Amino acid sequence: MDKSVEVNEHAVRETKPAATAAPTAAPTAAATEAARGFIGVDRAKSIALGHAGVSASSVAFSKAKLDDDDGRGVYEIEFYVGNTEYDYEIDAHSGAILEASADND
């Protein structure tokens, strides 16, 4: 059912202020990494843990970050299991382990 409205030329029209755009949130690191085709830091951690043969509940992460290694995205992952320090460099695109080491303190 269509309704038509008569407007009197002397009527006061109520106007609303123009809506302002809501501020947009900055993209999360994970969203930015995914947009660049990276595997993400959580996947890199999982790869390192799998290679080391340990579970996430048994480790203490001391580093897990995306780094630029001569123009190549690389995740640097470092964690401890007891007195053993594990260091990994994982390719951010493929998930390939580029470097891995384990040292007893």
Side-chain angles (χ1 to χ4, degrees):
M1 176 165 124
D2 288 327
K3 290 185 176 183
S4 59
V5 177
E6 277 189 22
V7 178
N8 182 330
E9 63 186 2
H10 299 291
V12 176
R13 292 176 39 181
E14 195 174 299
T15 59
K16 294 181 182 178
T20 56
T24 56
T28 63
T32 302
E33 291 173 22
R36 294 175 64 189
F38 293 165
I39 62 170
V41 71
D42 289 335
R43 178 72 181 122
K45 286 178 174 182
S46 179
I47 291 167
L49 293 172
H51 183 267
V54 297
S55 67
S57 62
S58 67
V59 306
F61 283 98
S62 56
K63 183 191 303 183
K65 69 174 190 165
L66 177 62
D67 196 20
D68 185 296
D69 187 16
D70 295 324
R72 179 184 201 176
V74 174
Y75 289 103
E76 294 181 358
I77 308 295
E78 182 179 291
F79 56 90
Y80 289 85
V81 178
N83 291 334
T84 304
E85 175 189 28
Y86 293 84
D87 285 301
Y88 283 86
E89 286 192 7
I90 298 174
D91 185 276
H93 286 283
S94 69
I97 297 172
L98 304 173
E99 292 183 26
S101 67
D103 296 315
N104 288 321
D105 286 341

